[in-house]
Amino acid sequence: MYVNSLPSKTVLSDLVEQTLAVLDTEPEMLRPADASGMPGGLLYLKSFAPDVPAVLVPDLHGRTGFFDEILSFVLPEDFYGKTPGKRLTVAQALDLKKLYLVCLGDGFHTEVVSRERWKQAYEQWKAGNIRSAAMLGEMSDSLGLMQRVMNCKCRWPRYFHFLKGNHENILNESAHGNLAFGKYTYEGELVRSFMLDVYGESLLNRYAHFEHRLPLFVWAANFLASHAQPLCMFSKDDVINGLKDEAVVLGLTWTDNDEAQKDSVALMLKSFLPDRPDALYFGGHRFISGTYRLKANGKYVQLHNPDKHCITLIRTYRPFNPDTDIYDTSASAGTNLLQE
């Protein structure tokens, strides 16, 4: 049971180091090594365990309740085949190594319902109070979410994955493929200032290192995924070495609607999954109003609706259908969500 409260400096530091130890020692079959010999930007599910189905989670943005619902979500009877089978929760399936749970990034910076809280935090920050009640609430949500993420990565290191999104930028830097962030106020700078004030420079930088070690791109047996729509065609080598290439990080985490080069999705699907004409590319990043939005001639599925608790189930034995395979985790046993 989690309660959203700020972790102590010791607790957060220990968890960051434990998670870094997992990320830095992921096997070559799962995270092919880049030119420096470290696990690269490619998450190679197709090689590691291609017959394992996947659940994709869109942008989380501090939604701890949503995350808890996901772990207790009861998978449908037909998830593993046409014949009804024993129904497992997501957590149980992870324990049995029968499921990939892939989060598409963006853990920090709560959205929509927190707009007024961000404004209050900003006014207090300008007055010299970075530890205002509004900012304490915001950081409890964001760090509470990321504590859950890191604990899951340590518990299920080969089957739970969290991709880098554009909000994985604790330093609020405009470097390493990141851009400083502000939407309602100056959220990126408020978070950096809070982390520096409460946890200190050393832990701030170690947390940034954790963000820099997150994978960028998923190559599975029947789908591709990244936080954002790919800006252009990236090759396997581009992605593997992408953690040290600003253009690749930026091009897989920051692409705006209608900014991607023509056929970038089609070219990547053709390159990575040439024998799967039914394969799709999934991402989040930009708001949608329904349960999904199809782009790139129907080959790119955009998933991020901050007002819904939607997860996407990708079976291995049949093609994905967006009208039947997106579920609402807030329903007790899971409910299909149809396009609005």
Side-chain angles (χ1 to χ4, degrees), residues 77-112:
E77 290 181 340
D78 70 339
F79 189 54
Y80 292 100
K82 296 179 181 179
T83 302
K86 180 180 178 181
R87 301 189 69 180
L88 302 171
T89 66
V90 166
Q92 289 170 336
L94 285 165
D95 281 336
L96 295 170
K97 301 180 180 180
K98 295 183 65 175
L99 174 75
Y100 287 122
L101 183 58
V102 180
C103 302
L104 298 180
D106 279 8
F108 263 79
H109 308 134
T110 59
E111 298 179 312
V112 185

Side-chain angles (χ1 to χ4, degrees), residues 135-207:
M135 198 62 198
L136 286 167
E138 171 60 33
M139 293 301 293
S140 294
D141 286 344
S142 288
L143 283 174
L145 185 280
M146 293 311 297
Q147 280 182 278
R148 288 160 164 80
V149 166
M150 289 186 279
N151 276 316
C152 286
K153 184 61 183 174
C154 293
R155 178 175 174 180
W156 301 298
R158 308 298 179 239
Y159 292 87
F160 177 90
H161 303 286
F162 188 93
L163 303 186
K164 186 189 182 310
N166 63 302
H167 288 254
E168 274 61 67
N169 183 11
I170 201 80
L171 296 176
N172 198 38
E173 62 182 357
S174 291
H176 304 107
N178 291 318
L179 298 175
F181 176 78
K183 182 185 293 182
Y184 305 132
T185 58
Y186 294 101
E187 292 95 323
E189 186 55 32
L190 264 65
V191 167
R192 189 197 70 83
S193 297
F194 185 95
M195 290 291 295
L196 194 60
D197 186 67
V198 174
Y199 295 105
E201 185 174 11
S202 177
L203 182 49
L204 172 66
N205 288 331
R206 291 302 287 169
Y207 191 95

Side-chain angles (χ1 to χ4, degrees), residues 5-16:
S5 60
L6 285 178
S8 70
K9 184 174 181 179
T10 299
V11 166
L12 182 59
S13 178
D14 288 349
L15 187 54
V16 168

